[in-house]
Amino acid sequence: MMSSTLVETVSINYDDFNDSFLTCGTCLCTYDGQERTPKLLPCSHTVCRNCLERIIAAQTLDTGSFRCPICRENIHIPQGGVASFPPSFIVNQLLDLMAQQRRDVIPKCSVHTAQELLFCETCDIVFCVQCVDGNHIGRGASEHTVIPFAIAIKRMSEILLYKAHLCIKNLNSAYETVSDELRQLELSVDKTLDAINRSFQDVMAVIEKRRHDCLQWVRKIREEKKTILKEQLDLIQAEKEKVQLECDGLQYQVEVRNITKKISDLNEKLDTTSTLSEPRENSFLQYEYKHNDALREIAKAVSNFGAIRVSTTFPALTTADAKKATAHLRTSVKIHTVDYHGNPRSSGGDPIIVELRNEKGELVDSKVKDNDDGSYEVLYIPTKPGKLKMSISVFNRPIKDSPLMIDVSEHIEPIWRFGSKGSGEDQLNQPTRLATGPEDTVYVLDTGNSRIKVMGKDGSVLRHLGPTGVENQSSTGMAVMPNGHIAVINWRTKFVSVLDPVDGSKVKQFTCPGFIDPIDIAVNSRNEIIVADSSAHKVFKFDQAGNLVMTFGSQGDKDGQFKDIHAICIGRSDEILVADHRIQIFTKDGKYSRKVVDSGEGSYGGIIVDTGGNILATSTEKAFKSDKVSATSSSSGATKDKGSCSGRSFVHVFHSNGKLLYSIDSSTDRLKRPNGLTIISDFRIVVADLGNNCIKKYYYK
């Protein structure tokens, strides 16, 4: 590659020089050799020819003179007019010098001195047209961006100045930020010192209170002792006065008998006075403070009293994991703090400030949890889909990438799915009901396989129970009793069976003549069994022994009546919830209480009440239409069908007052004829997806 050099020139700032010396002070135009020719006035000021002609032409009186526009001195007009004013030779010489300066600053090729250097922005090289091949000129030149090197220098100089300006701006901002932090440090020190003084004033107040209590203790003891001794003194004085009174007039006594009696009385008095000579209370009082470890414990406590917390967290390197959120579900954003060197911190206590707002700018409740290991969690529950903006700061400085933009979806996706159609270990066939046992054990009523699948909380299959009680592919209801036994209802055999949860053996079994199509079963806190019969349009209640206690309900659309019952469950206070195309609540004695919701169409396949009183119900928008073997299959799905479900399916979450809070609806794995459901720990539900022959687990809070 050829070499190139720049002609060495005198460094003159052309723009500043031009503004100061080569510009007319009147019209602010640059001097030239035409209309802007510089003319030297007798007062030594220079004005362009055009301005002089304009000033003279503007005079209304022909005085033969005018005032200098710069110093206002009176100038005589020569006979030849403006043209007769001498040119400003100094300004003309400066114009020539600057013109030469601008010519010399154009870089020339060191080999071909007449050729101006060019710059290729594509290849980042300097060249002249005579020193290169055809890559930059002629064929192939369209692929290269070529500009004069002088322009490139000017452009790069401008970029350099711009970048330098940005650097200075950033440095000024940094200086202000650090200075502000220094000021904040002084404020923090003052606040900390005040807090220390207040805390030790509290300590001294405690000590002063103890000192006062000890002094009061001494005074109280003194008063108690003093009272006893004074009472003794008063008694002595009283006895003394009695003796004195009895002795008065004895010298005049001549009756020997009386004198003898007095002497006898005084002898007895002598015995009494000897006991009064001993103080009934002592003066001993001694203060002790080294009799135990209290002083040492106080010293230890004072030495450990108070702590100064500092932090090495560097906000600009601290990051946060912004997950995609789902409306109505608890969501967390984890914050990872690091120090200035990028090393993760291992302790907490940083003043994390979080502000979470929705698209309307409304504040969304959030809470910061300190994990005390250098990480923090921002906990919040989005109330609706959309976008959220989360601003996170430490020491009132934003962390990296703050504010975070969080997308909130309206769809609640399953976190786990189990099963496909079949009879294998990991397969299901028409799962209709679910129940929860100890330690989140899930019982799945696998109706099509005439068995109960017992699953652990990790999703593993523990064992299978059956076919006792669930034979003939016709069991449609299941509930776990308070004593741990499993109660099932079989619509074909019309028997209620109570099974052992370990081996599935039959504990007891009973039926009722009033059963027509018993569809679902529930158990209250008193081990009473409640059975819903779809075709009888009734609910039956039995005691623990299987004796019928009562029935309630009839066919119809009125309050307390039923059409096709699909599900029942027990509330927190043993109230009975019954679902057809609506959900009605009855007291534990079967009296109608209220209606939670009435969809008007469709059906509720399963219902359950959580510990907070919320009602969860699986729902299909329209009734299932198909050719069935029996009427019972239309409500339970316990037999094979030839149709399909029209409309969408959901899990609705209702407040206890009947208000619909939200619905669980997946966008990627939608429910198809959801039936029974059960609640497990940590706000999770498991739903029997009858149409997909599987069960799915969701978070619902």
Side-chain angles (χ1 to χ4, degrees), residues 654-674:
F654 298 97
H655 190 272
S656 58
N657 61 14
K659 178 184 178 182
L660 177 63
L661 300 177
Y662 54 93
S663 300
I664 296 176
D665 177 28
S666 168
S667 63
T668 58
D669 190 4
R670 288 179 173 169
L671 292 164
K672 185 178 179 182
R673 293 174 59 201

Side-chain angles (χ1 to χ4, degrees), residues 15-16 85 129 135 248 251 323 388 431-432 464 588 606 637 641:
D15 292 332
D16 292 343
F85 283 108
V129 293
N135 289 338
D248 288 345
Q251 63 271 26
K323 304 175 185 177
L388 295 176
T432 55
H464 290 99
K588 60 185 178 181
D641 60 78

Side-chain angles (χ1 to χ4, degrees), residues 290-321:
K290 295 183 179 180
H291 61 293
N292 55 25
D293 294 336
L295 182 61
R296 186 162 51 253
E297 292 296 328
I298 291 173
K300 182 179 178 181
V302 171
S303 65
N304 293 327
F305 180 77
I308 307 300
R309 182 186 289 274
V310 296
S311 173
T312 58
T313 295
F314 194 64
L317 297 179
T318 294
T319 58
D321 300 331

Side-chain angles (χ1 to χ4, degrees), residues 112-159:
H112 309 92
T113 56
Q115 289 294 326
E116 179 182 352
L117 289 177
L118 303 175
F119 178 72
C120 179
E121 292 182 335
T122 306
C123 302
D124 197 22
I125 62 171
V126 180
F127 65 95
C128 84
V129 293
Q130 296 185 11
C131 294
V132 297
D133 51 20
N135 289 338
H136 298 87
I137 299 175
R139 301 180 67 181
S142 60
E143 300 178 0
H144 299 267
T145 302
V146 178
I147 60 175
F149 188 40
I151 296 176
I153 292 176
K154 184 176 181 181
R155 182 180 298 172
M156 286 186 285
S157 298
E158 291 174 350
I159 295 174

